[in-house]
Amino acid sequence: MKPAWRADAPVPLEWKSVLMLVILSVAGLGMFAWPLIIPVSAESGLGDNSPLIFIALLPLLIFLVLAQISEKGMDTKALAILGVLSAINAVLRPLGAGTNGIELVFFLLILAGRVFGAGFGFVLGCTSLFASALLTAGVGPWMPFQMLASAWIGMGAGLLPHRLFGREIRGKAEIAMLIVYGIVAGYFFGIIMNLWFWPYLMGPAMGTGADLAYIPGGSFIENLKRFGIFTLITSTAVWDTGRAIINTILLALVGAPILAAFRRTLRKAAFNPEVEFVSDSR
């Protein structure tokens, strides 16, 4: 029997979708980490090519979503669940506005990815941040990067193990695993988003933070050291830690009932009725 997380998922991942995910993820990591891996000469200067990256990345995201939908199709039930959860996340996100790391969008994304699968988690990460950007007028060159980072978080939740040493992971053990993942996701989102805008915020042309600025033509080690200090001082101590704490609190308080509700929805929706549903709502 195929694993339940894949066989009865609202957005099944066939080999073409998996291949596209790998290609997009590798390309996306390169776009995030270019300050560390792509040499830029001091003579040529940094420049501001973020709009070009925006234009290049957004079609890839849209194409991936369309490919996943067309691979086996998303029926009306799957679209309804995706729309409802995207709308909820779009409303939740502005409530905290990211102040001191108060982000309310990730805990629901993690729980949905856990139950509905990696493909659904990826799509939900994209649509949630896109809807939130439209709702808060937060559309800008940073938006596709936020979408991709959130999509990775949702996809990662769907790839977490369901069995350990032959036993199904449920109850307190599952919540503990999701809390650990939520902490990692909180720091991951902050660090990778910092990596994208760090050269523009702290670049030589800005004339600020000389000791923390990106050095065009600098070595990998030197720029990595500067980025690490920049992130630790400006983000990790407050924003990322706050995000990790919020994820921990919400997953601990409401994780179990939401997981149970999602599993009941998955079972009743019967996205693939030919496959026996092996998960329960405990």
Side-chain angles (χ1 to χ4, degrees):
M1 181 187 301
K2 296 180 180 180
W5 66 265
R6 182 193 181 284
D8 61 356
V11 183
L13 290 179
E14 295 297 329
W15 70 268
K16 291 181 181 180
S17 298
V18 172
L19 179 61
M20 289 184 59
L21 274 170
V22 172
I23 294 174
L24 179 59
S25 294
V26 172
L29 283 174
M31 293 178 185
F32 274 109
W34 73 264
L36 301 178
I37 61 178
I38 300 178
V40 177
S41 66
E43 291 77 12
S44 63
L46 178 60
D48 185 5
N49 54 8
S50 53
L52 297 179
I53 299 175
F54 174 87
I55 293 173
L57 183 58
L58 187 56
L60 289 175
L61 290 170
I62 296 175
F63 182 62
L64 175 62
V65 173
L66 294 177
Q68 287 187 336
I69 292 175
S70 62
E71 185 68 31
K72 274 195 172 181
M74 289 181 64
D75 60 20
T76 55
K77 294 175 290 187
L79 289 172
I81 295 173
L82 179 64
V84 169
L85 293 180
S86 298
I88 293 174
N89 269 342
V91 173
L92 285 177
R93 191 163 184 249
L95 296 180
T99 304
N100 292 329
I102 301 177
E103 292 272 10
L104 305 178
V105 66
F106 294 109
F107 85 98
L108 193 62
L109 176 61
I110 291 171
L111 295 171
R114 170 66 175 172
V115 174
F116 296 119
F120 187 90
F122 190 94
V123 176
L124 180 61
C126 290
T127 56
S128 294
L129 270 292
F130 181 75
S132 172
L134 295 180
L135 184 64
T136 60
V139 178
W142 56 83
M143 185 182 71
F145 292 89
Q146 291 180 335
M147 290 169 61
L148 184 56
S150 299
W152 280 334
I153 292 174
M155 181 177 66
L159 296 176
L160 291 175
H162 284 253
R163 303 185 71 86
L164 183 64
F165 302 120
R167 299 183 60 181
E168 197 168 8
I169 303 175
R170 285 290 183 270
K172 293 181 180 180
E174 182 176 35
I175 295 300
M177 179 181 68
L178 293 178
I179 287 175
V180 172
Y181 181 78
I183 293 172
V184 173
Y187 284 103
F188 165 79
F189 185 83
I191 291 172
I192 201 165
M193 286 305 301
N194 285 347
L195 184 57
W196 172 73
F197 72 77
W198 164 60
Y200 304 104
L201 182 65
M202 305 296 292
M206 301 298 295
T208 58
D211 294 337
L212 306 179
Y214 169 72
I215 303 176
S219 67
F220 172 84
I221 298 298
E222 178 62 24
N223 277 324
L224 180 63
K225 177 182 177 181
R226 286 169 172 256
F227 170 71
I229 297 174
F230 165 77
T231 297
L232 183 63
I233 293 175
T234 63
S235 177
T236 301
V238 177
W239 299 85
D240 300 343
T241 299
R243 189 180 297 110
I245 292 173
I246 291 297
N247 287 344
T248 298
I249 293 174
L250 293 175
L251 288 170
L253 291 179
V254 301
I258 292 179
L259 283 175
F262 282 169
R263 286 187 172 120
R264 285 194 296 270
T265 301
L266 183 62
R267 182 171 58 249
K268 293 179 180 180
F271 296 104
N272 188 348
E274 297 180 355
V275 177
E276 179 185 357
F277 184 76
V278 298
S279 297
D280 55 40
S281 60
R282 291 177 292 173

